[in-house]
Every structure is written in structure tokens, then in C-alpha cells.
Amino acid sequence: MPGPDGPTTAEELGVLVKQTQSVLHLRMDDALRPFALRVPQYACLQALADDPGSTGSELARRAFVSRQSMNVLLQGLEGRGLVERSADPGPRRERTTTLTPQGRDVVDRARGAVAEVADAMVAPLSPADRPRLRTLLVTCRDALLAGEGSAGG
């Protein structure tokens, strides 16, 4: 509930987190442009680098897009020769996806560009503040996840 003089500290923090995420997304898109990638495509390739053989549903969750959007995204990446999808569906009729050697090369090079953006974001923080910020953000995320089944959540 807003305070008598405006938004609560919690509301302000929520807005700040969203603003930070939005600017981070824009900067990452800028950094990924030379690789002809957008953030969701990079997130997909990165997820496949970390966990080869993921399904479209798994990739959609990791890239924060719908399953339908992930299917379109995968078709584009497959057309560019960056990923391969299995011919045979597995459990739940989903096909697994893996990086091609070209896809591995692109994600490895793009990872450096994304790391530069992340490094610039945390550069003003002291080395001691970085793990503390991580802990605080994880705590906030987990609090929201724990409230998913509650009213308004």
C-alpha cells in the first residue's frame, strides 16, 4: 500500500529493479548486434551451451519467452545453422536442441560482449558489494516465487 507521501520503499525498489533490467536488456541488445542476435536468442544459445539437448519448453523458461515464441526463435537459429533439433520427439513429444559448431563459436564470442555489459553495470560497486547484491536479489526473487500461489501473486 502506498505511503501517505507517495510510493513505499518497496515500490521504489521494484521500479528500480525493472528500470535496471530494461537498461541492461537494451545494452545487451546493442552488444549482441554485431552477432546478429537479440537477448532472447543469446539466452537460448547460452542455455544450450550450458545444457545441451534442452527442449523448447526448457529453453523458453530460461529465455523468459513463451513456448510459441521459442519455437519461432529456434526455427530462425536453425535456419542460420546455429542449432540442430532432433528429428525424433522425445518424452512429451518435444524435440531436443543442440548447438552446432558454428552456434558454439557465436555464443562463445557473444558471451564476451555480454560480459563487458555486465562488468560495466557492476563496475561502480566494491568487490564486497557484488556478492551482497547477488544475495539480496536472490532473496527477493525467492520471496516472489514462494508467493506464486497466494492471492495477487
Side-chain angles (χ1 to χ4, degrees), residues 12-94:
E12 289 176 348
L13 288 171
V15 170
L16 262 170
V17 167
K18 180 59 181 162
Q19 288 172 338
T20 303
Q21 182 275 333
S22 180
V23 174
L24 176 62
H25 193 105
L26 288 171
R27 297 296 180 263
M28 287 175 63
D29 266 344
D30 290 345
L32 292 166
R33 193 168 289 117
F35 306 98
L37 294 174
R38 303 283 313 245
V39 171
Q41 294 168 317
Y42 171 77
C44 175
L45 294 175
Q46 182 61 55
L48 289 170
D50 293 342
D51 193 14
S54 295
T55 65
S57 294
E58 293 163 342
L59 293 169
R61 280 189 295 278
R62 291 187 65 179
F64 305 103
V65 299
S66 69
R67 285 178 30 196
Q68 295 81 2
S69 294
M70 180 53 65
N71 188 46
V72 171
L73 190 151
L74 285 171
Q75 288 173 1
L77 293 174
E78 191 173 29
R80 289 179 55 191
L82 301 179
V83 301
E84 292 176 340
R85 293 198 275 180
S86 64
D88 299 318
R92 294 181 298 160
R93 300 176 35 183
E94 289 198 86

